[in-house]
């Protein structure tokens, strides 16, 4: 008996998903569904976004955007928690209200649950590397840690594993410093 091969889903299929409070993402033509983030997840995002906005107000290098869709191909569309794009790349990265090319920095906050964690730590990491995201921060509320990954030869490699009083810094954001403990202060 021959194996049944399911057709790959496309962004057009994704756009047809119901607006029911779930997050629908497409990676390699496979549909991933997760529930809307809970309040602690959103507070972590807020605690990262606010210092980024203050930094960018003083250093107008680009824009930080929360929860916008990123459509990398007809088979790859995700919703990163936060992204940063430098001003000089904005026009090539954004079209029709979506990210259509790799942002400079993607930030994901891990959600509870084995499947969601695996998707952010492995599947999305590979996806972001494939399309050229220069830096990827993975925020882990459960362990109160931050993993900073940087693109090197087509792979997002670990550049730093940060805890508590460690500070997040980035060559993409010269002079930006954020203490890890501040992210989880709510």
């Amino acid at each position: 008996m021959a194996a049944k091969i399911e057709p790959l889903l496309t962004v057009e299929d994704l756009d047809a998903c119901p607006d029911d409070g779930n997050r629908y993402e497409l990676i390699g033509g496979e549909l991933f569904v997760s529930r809307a983030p809970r309040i602690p997840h959103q507070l972590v995002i807020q605690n990262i976004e606010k210092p980024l906005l203050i930094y960018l107000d003083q250093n107008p290098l680009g824009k930080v955007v929360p929860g916008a869709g990123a459509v990398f191909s007809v088979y790859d569309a995700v919703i990163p928690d936060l992204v940063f794009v430098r001003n000089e790349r904005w026009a090539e990265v954004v079209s029709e209200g979506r990210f259509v090319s790799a942002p400079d920095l993607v930030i994901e906050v891990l959600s509870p649950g084995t499947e969601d964690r695996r998707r952010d730590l492995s599947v999305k990491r590979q996806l972001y590397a494939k399309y050229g995201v220069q830096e990827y921060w993975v925020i882990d509320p459960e362990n109160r840690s931050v993993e900073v990954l940087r693109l090197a030869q087509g792979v997002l490699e670990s550049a730093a594993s940060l805890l508590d009083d460690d500070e997040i810094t980035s060559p993409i954001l010269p002079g930006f410093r954020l203490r890890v403990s501040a992210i989880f202060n709510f």
Side-chain angles (χ1 to χ4, degrees):
M1 183 171 174
K4 181 180 178 188
I5 299 174
E6 296 291 326
L8 296 178
L9 296 177
T10 66
V11 171
E12 187 175 310
D13 298 320
L14 185 65
D15 287 342
C17 287
D19 187 9
D20 58 4
N22 289 321
R23 293 177 70 150
Y24 294 92
E25 296 181 305
L26 194 62
I27 302 174
E30 182 179 349
L31 183 66
F32 292 89
V33 182
S34 57
R35 295 195 182 280
R38 294 184 180 214
I39 291 172
H41 182 277
Q42 298 305 92
L43 290 173
V44 167
I45 293 170
Q46 185 176 335
N47 285 345
I48 299 165
E49 184 180 18
K50 184 176 178 182
L52 281 170
L53 290 171
I54 291 168
Y55 167 83
L56 291 170
D57 198 36
Q58 298 167 356
N59 304 276
L61 305 171
K63 295 176 179 59
V64 64
V65 180
V71 179
F72 296 122
S73 79
V74 70
Y75 301 111
D76 297 300
V78 293
I79 307 170
D81 289 317
L82 281 172
V83 301
F84 168 75
V85 177
R86 290 175 292 159
N87 289 330
E88 62 268 19
R89 295 190 64 241
W90 187 262
E92 77 180 71
V93 174
V94 177
S95 178
E96 297 179 18
R98 294 180 173 173
F99 294 104
V100 294
S101 184
D104 296 293
L105 167 66
V106 171
I107 303 169
E108 294 279 8
V109 177
L110 296 178
S111 296
T114 305
E115 192 58 33
D116 285 339
R117 291 177 68 84
R118 183 190 72 76
R119 182 170 51 248
D120 286 348
L121 291 169
S122 179
V123 179
K124 282 188 176 179
R125 177 181 180 173
Q126 292 172 15
L127 177 77
Y128 294 146
K130 176 181 178 180
Y131 289 102
V133 170
Q134 294 299 301
E135 194 162 296
Y136 180 34
W137 298 356
V138 181
I139 314 298
D140 186 347
E142 187 176 306
N143 295 309
R144 298 175 61 89
S145 66
V146 177
E147 186 75 20
V148 175
L149 303 122
R150 294 198 178 108
L151 192 65
Q153 298 177 336
V155 177
L156 281 165
E157 296 178 347
S158 182
S161 295
L162 308 171
L163 299 167
D164 303 319
D165 289 332
D166 294 333
E167 289 185 321
I168 303 170
T169 61
S170 171
I172 293 171
L173 304 165
F176 177 79
R177 304 182 90 68
L178 176 60
R179 192 175 308 274
V180 170
S181 58
I183 295 170
F184 306 107
N185 187 16
F186 51 88

